[in-house]
Amino acid sequence: MASTVDYHKCVSGLLAKADGRDKVMGAIQYVCLFLSEGQPGDTLNIMKNMGAARKPLRFYKPIELLLPLLVGPPAKGPAPLVVSGKVKSLALAMFFALDHVVWAGQAGIIKDKELLDKCQKMSFYGWMTGSSLTALELVAALQKDANNMSDEAKAKRQAQTLGVINASCQIAVAAGLLKLVDMKPRTIGAFGIATSALSIYGLLPPLPSKAKTA
């Protein structure tokens, strides 16, 4: 049985990563959206502050996504999946880069409201496109290994299934924020909480083997 120290090390390992801190703050942000129902007040202000606080943690993301496309080795695999992977990286890089522009507007550096609104929308479209392609890639991988019954393959399929659910929740959040579907703020918050929880689960370091088997 895992001890308190084991759980502490696991959480500390999560929070030691920029992505881990980003996802925890994202979970708080979406909980606040869910609780506030999008109505003005302290809870909504916390949500906005959390959103702004996440930006520095994502500063390097566009470069991290684009660098393998520019200087990395050629991707291997079926042509459709290779193209899908490149488009996904470009879409997500656009999401993060334009989100930085929006943050610059919130900080008062950029004052063109029309430009900021366009960047916000394009950012969400990039997120939705990247998440859609992620879901398609994972579904293709699930179908490819469907007949493999080894324990390793089963664990891999479980992770891929959670990835599909996570990507689907992200698509729902982006579609709701873009108002492509009629979705209340509380519903967007619920999908956001789900995707944050799944992302945190995927980033959590494993517990020590002794703690697992005790």
Side-chain angles (χ1 to χ4, degrees), residues 87-114:
V87 174
K88 179 185 74 174
S89 294
L90 288 171
L92 291 175
M94 181 179 78
F95 161 55
F96 288 115
L98 294 180
D99 198 41
H100 292 337
V101 177
V102 175
W103 173 81
Q106 293 169 343
I109 300 171
I110 299 175
K111 302 184 184 299
D112 188 332
K113 188 176 184 305
E114 184 178 352

Side-chain angles (χ1 to χ4, degrees), residues 5 18 26 35 38 49 58-60 71 83 87 98 108 119 130 132 137-138 150 161 168 187-189 200 204 206 209:
V5 173
L35 294 175
N49 290 334
R58 301 173 162 199
F59 182 76
Y60 194 69
V71 299
V83 173
V87 174
L98 294 180
C119 287
S132 300
E137 288 178 2
L138 290 171
S150 68
T161 301
S168 300
T187 306
I188 297 174
I200 290 169
L204 275 173
S209 57

Side-chain angles (χ1 to χ4, degrees), residues 10-186:
C10 187
V11 174
S12 295
L14 170 70
L15 296 177
K17 306 173 186 175
D19 279 350
R21 295 192 296 274
D22 176 47
K23 298 307 179 185
V24 170
M25 294 170 74
I28 297 171
Q29 183 183 0
Y30 286 119
V31 166
C32 289
L33 178 60
F34 180 84
L35 294 175
S36 70
E37 299 185 44
Q39 299 301 312
D42 292 341
T43 307
L44 190 64
N45 289 337
I46 294 172
M47 184 207 80
K48 292 178 180 178
N49 290 334
M50 279 292 170
R54 295 175 69 189
K55 308 301 183 184
L57 299 174
R58 301 173 162 199
F59 182 76
Y60 194 69
K61 278 289 185 181
I63 299 172
E64 185 180 287
L65 288 159
L66 291 176
L67 206 56
L69 297 180
L70 299 174
V71 299
K76 298 180 181 179
L81 288 179
V82 171
V83 173
S84 172
K86 291 182 177 181
V87 174
K88 179 185 74 174
S89 294
L90 288 171
L92 291 175
M94 181 179 78
F95 161 55
F96 288 115
L98 294 180
D99 198 41
H100 292 337
V101 177
V102 175
W103 173 81
Q106 293 169 343
I109 300 171
I110 299 175
K111 302 184 184 299
D112 188 332
K113 188 176 184 305
E114 184 178 352
L115 171 65
L116 292 172
D117 288 343
K118 288 181 179 178
C119 287
Q120 183 72 89
K121 286 184 179 180
M122 292 302 295
S123 173
F124 288 149
Y125 275 116
W127 185 24
M128 187 167 64
T129 301
S131 298
S132 300
L133 292 172
T134 297
L136 289 174
E137 288 178 2
L138 290 171
V139 168
L142 280 167
Q143 292 177 340
K144 180 181 178 182
D145 295 332
N147 296 324
N148 191 335
M149 292 293 111
S150 68
D151 290 340
E152 183 180 352
K154 289 179 180 177
K156 186 177 179 180
R157 281 198 298 273
Q158 182 182 20
Q160 289 168 338
T161 301
L162 290 176
V164 172
I165 297 171
N166 191 357
S168 300
C169 289
Q170 291 180 24
I171 294 166
V173 173
L177 293 172
L178 285 165
K179 301 189 185 302
L180 298 178
V181 293
D182 186 13
M183 195 180 295
K184 295 180 179 179
R186 176 161 280 186

